[in-house]
Amino acid sequence: MGDEVLVRRDGGVGRIVLDRPRALNSLTHGMVLDVRAALDAWAEDDTVRVVVLTGAGERGLCAGGDIRAFHDDAKLGGAGTRAFLRDEYRLNELISRYPKPYVAVMDGITMGGGVGVSAHGSVRIVTERSVVALPETRIGLVPDVGGSRLLSRAPGELGTHLGLSAASMTPGDALLCGFADHFVPSAKLPELLAGLDGSPVAEVVARYAEPAPAAPLAEQREWIDACYAADSVEEIVARLVASGVPEAKQAAEELAERSPTMLKVTLSALRRARSHGSLAESLEQEYRVSCAAVAHHDLVEGIRAQVVDKDRNPRWSPATLAGVDERAVAAFFEPPADGDLRLTRADG
């Protein structure tokens, strides 16, 4: 094990702590492999009854993948990023079918890859501090880590709104949209986690869980469903602008800041994910899309603008929705040159 993932046993509880607090526990390839190794070992260990995932520090579980590393690697051809994504998505799929209770504590910032290692677990806990998001379109990428499946199954068109705009979810929103199961005040987490060794997980969680807080997105369903049901990004933007709703106008302004190419690819990915029969199928699609994105101008440019130079002024190519050829969008869904992810299981 490396020094960025803490793995230990407390009686019958296997504990995994993502330990890069200065980087908001953002995932490196080594961290992904370390989490996978722990899960593989504990799956065969009858003395481990439950697994708990938490993040070190006070700010959050995990802010996502190490996108600065993506930026540097993509400029060199992207082989390292593709290898990272392959192992990350395999980990996401394993978590979704893990044979023991997998308790993910989504306290604080839980975004991108942080969603991938938590929201596919069997027991997903948010607190009053939780901020959950798939912010990929902000950096010239597309929602991944199984996010396309989660978003496609959210009520109405909420997932389309979240995926395109990269908006953040409150704890109540995360529960509403199917990213979490239980709300537990952060002050009660130590007692909850301490109790997991002696009692069934469901009983312990029920002891500390409280009613879900309000979900702001629930109040906005009318305009979100009406606007995002459109079949193209251009029509979505037109409906948002014409709606007369201030929040819709703000959403249109946010979309105008995103990569036109990645908006169109994201909408296509979300629509396709609605017909997928398993998380594995969605991850296989995401691997194709992400590999294509790594080779696209907008990923390097988006990370440069947001993280490297921090000028917040990405120069997308093409710069407009009208300039994005539909054939270019379709190409994102073709198999990568070095092969598919191949996760689909016969049992779905």
Side-chain angles (χ1 to χ4, degrees), residues 42-123:
W42 288 337
E44 304 299 325
D45 187 342
D46 292 339
T47 66
V48 176
R49 295 175 34 258
V50 57
V51 172
V52 177
L53 175 76
T54 58
E58 299 297 322
R59 298 170 61 198
L61 173 65
C62 174
D66 188 341
I67 59 175
R68 183 180 284 271
F70 292 176
H71 170 274
D72 296 345
D73 180 68
K75 293 172 70 174
L76 299 175
T81 301
R82 292 192 297 273
F84 168 84
L85 295 173
R86 183 178 288 268
D87 287 327
E88 182 184 30
Y89 296 177
R90 286 172 171 164
L91 174 62
N92 301 152
E93 198 269 340
L94 171 65
I95 290 169
S96 74
R97 58 179 175 83
Y98 200 64
K100 300 176 181 183
Y102 180 97
V103 181
V105 181
M106 303 165 72
D107 185 30
I109 293 173
T110 304
M111 297 184 177
V115 170
V117 294
S118 60
H120 303 303
S122 54
V123 182

Side-chain angles (χ1 to χ4, degrees), residues 306-328:
Q306 293 294 332
V307 178
V308 180
D309 296 337
K310 299 182 180 179
D311 59 24
R312 306 293 191 270
N313 185 33
R315 295 180 288 274
W316 306 122
S317 180
T320 65
L321 291 169
V324 181
D325 187 282
E326 291 304 319
R327 290 172 298 180

Side-chain angles (χ1 to χ4, degrees), residues 167-256:
S168 296
M169 287 174 271
T170 67
D173 291 332
L175 290 159
L176 170 68
C177 293
F179 282 68
D181 305 302
H182 307 282
F183 175 78
V184 177
S186 58
K188 295 185 177 182
L189 288 176
E191 293 178 52
L192 184 153
L193 297 178
L196 290 174
D197 187 29
S199 303
V201 173
E203 290 183 12
V204 176
V205 173
R207 192 180 308 150
Y208 296 101
E210 296 188 0
L217 285 176
E219 305 295 322
Q220 302 174 48
R221 277 287 302 276
E222 184 174 356
W223 68 264
I224 288 176
D225 287 355
C227 295
Y228 286 94
D231 293 329
S232 69
V233 179
E234 290 91 337
E235 179 60 22
I236 288 173
V237 172
R239 292 185 186 186
L240 290 170
V241 172
S243 72
V245 179
E247 292 87 353
K249 179 183 178 183
Q250 180 182 346
E253 293 171 353
E254 290 170 352
L255 294 188

